[in-house]
Amino acid sequence: MYDASLNESAYVYHMLQWPFAKSIFETGRLRLSPVRSWDDPYEKWWCDTLVGRKSSLSGIQAYGLCWTLGKYDEPRWRMAGFRRNEPIVRIRCQLRAILDAGRSLIGGQAGTLYLGKVRYRGEKRLLEAATAVNSGSAKEVTRTAASMLLHKRNAFRFESEIRLLWLDRQPVQDAFFIEIDPAAVISQIMTSPYASQNEHLEIKAFVEKYGIESKMSAILRAPGVEPRRNENQRP
């Protein structure tokens, strides 16, 4: 399922610690983690509510990778780096490139891939929707589960989230992987403004071997001021 409201030529962004981003290049795989394993207690609760033992959607395993349409917000860098020791980077991909990689799974895996924009609702409406799903028999079970997993509370509206989901009925795994050609799917790597210049230069040297643009966020830099080569701004 592809969200028709999305423009395939649009860019989306994903922030993560550099060692995990580096592994994408080294393995040629995007990692989708089990939704129930996510740190956010709300996400765990929502997933259990939708596909738990007492749900009409029970038996479905859900894996996801979260992206955002937002690219200029400084607080995103601080949230991504909270309690993290490694430098944070931001991966930029075009939606079309993600879809092309996902389409390669068709016919080779027993499951369904979904790419959609998260809709934000009040908690009361979310609970009512979950109750309605669990009280009936869903005809298109995976589509219903994916649609519900693309909903979050209004408190998270600032995230402008795009979610890539894989749903199947196989035994639960530690992760689900999508094979990619990093040079074809990733168009830019940006280093956090809170990383040191030396960290950025190391990342830049690695990334540019793949022919991919590498930049350091200038969101905290005064106009015309270049960073010191040995600065370390990390909080």
Side-chain angles (χ1 to χ4, degrees), residues 56-57 60 114 132-133 136-145 169:
S56 63
L57 307 178
I60 293 178
Y114 294 83
V133 169
S137 57
K139 294 181 179 180
E140 298 184 18
V141 176
T142 54
R143 182 178 291 272
T144 300
R169 289 186 175 275

Side-chain angles (χ1 to χ4, degrees), residues 6-214:
L6 294 172
N7 183 346
E8 286 192 25
S9 64
Y11 286 116
V12 289
Y13 307 87
H14 177 68
M15 290 178 172
L16 70 170
Q17 296 182 80
W18 168 239
F20 298 127
K22 187 177 181 181
S23 72
I24 295 175
F25 289 91
E26 294 171 337
T27 64
R29 301 190 301 179
L30 289 177
R31 183 180 188 273
L32 281 65
S33 58
V35 176
R36 286 184 173 131
S37 74
W38 292 355
D39 291 336
D40 186 341
Y42 168 76
E43 294 288 359
K44 293 179 182 179
W45 165 80
W46 184 234
C47 187
D48 287 339
T49 299
L50 296 176
V51 298
R53 292 181 181 178
K54 298 181 180 180
S55 165
S56 63
L57 307 178
S58 62
I60 293 178
Q61 306 300 338
Y63 306 86
L65 181 60
C66 301
W67 306 78
T68 180
L69 291 168
K71 60 179 179 177
Y72 293 121
D73 308 312
E74 182 275 336
R76 295 183 192 278
W77 290 112
R78 282 183 286 148
M79 287 189 295
F82 183 62
R83 294 182 177 176
R84 301 288 191 263
N85 296 319
E86 299 287 348
I88 302 299
V89 298
R90 189 188 73 184
I91 293 175
R92 185 183 75 182
C93 298
Q94 196 172 44
L95 282 174
R96 182 178 294 110
I98 297 174
L99 282 171
D100 288 343
R103 289 185 181 113
S104 67
L105 294 171
I106 297 175
Q109 296 280 350
T112 312
L113 191 72
Y114 294 83
L115 181 65
K117 183 184 296 185
V118 171
R119 266 63 178 183
Y120 301 94
R121 304 283 187 264
E123 188 169 339
K124 182 179 178 180
R125 288 188 62 188
L126 288 177
L127 289 171
E128 289 173 348
T131 299
V133 169
N134 291 334
S135 63
S137 57
K139 294 181 179 180
E140 298 184 18
V141 176
T142 54
R143 182 178 291 272
T144 300
S147 176
M148 296 300 287
L149 287 171
L150 290 171
H151 285 73
K152 295 182 74 171
R153 290 179 295 171
N154 279 327
F156 297 92
R157 185 179 293 274
F158 71 94
E159 293 176 340
S160 299
E161 187 176 336
I162 305 295
R163 190 165 283 186
L164 182 65
L165 296 169
W166 173 263
L167 281 77
D168 63 31
R169 289 186 175 275
Q170 304 302 313
V172 64
Q173 305 176 64
D174 292 334
F176 180 82
F177 295 95
I178 298 177
E179 303 287 337
I180 67 166
D181 174 1
V185 174
I186 299 172
S187 60
Q188 184 193 78
I189 294 286
M190 180 171 283
T191 311
S192 166
Y194 294 105
S196 71
Q197 183 70 358
N198 286 341
E199 287 171 329
H200 167 62
L201 292 175
E202 180 181 340
I203 292 168
K204 180 181 176 70
F206 179 90
V207 169
E208 290 186 344
K209 290 188 298 184
Y210 291 82
I212 296 173
E213 181 185 38
S214 176

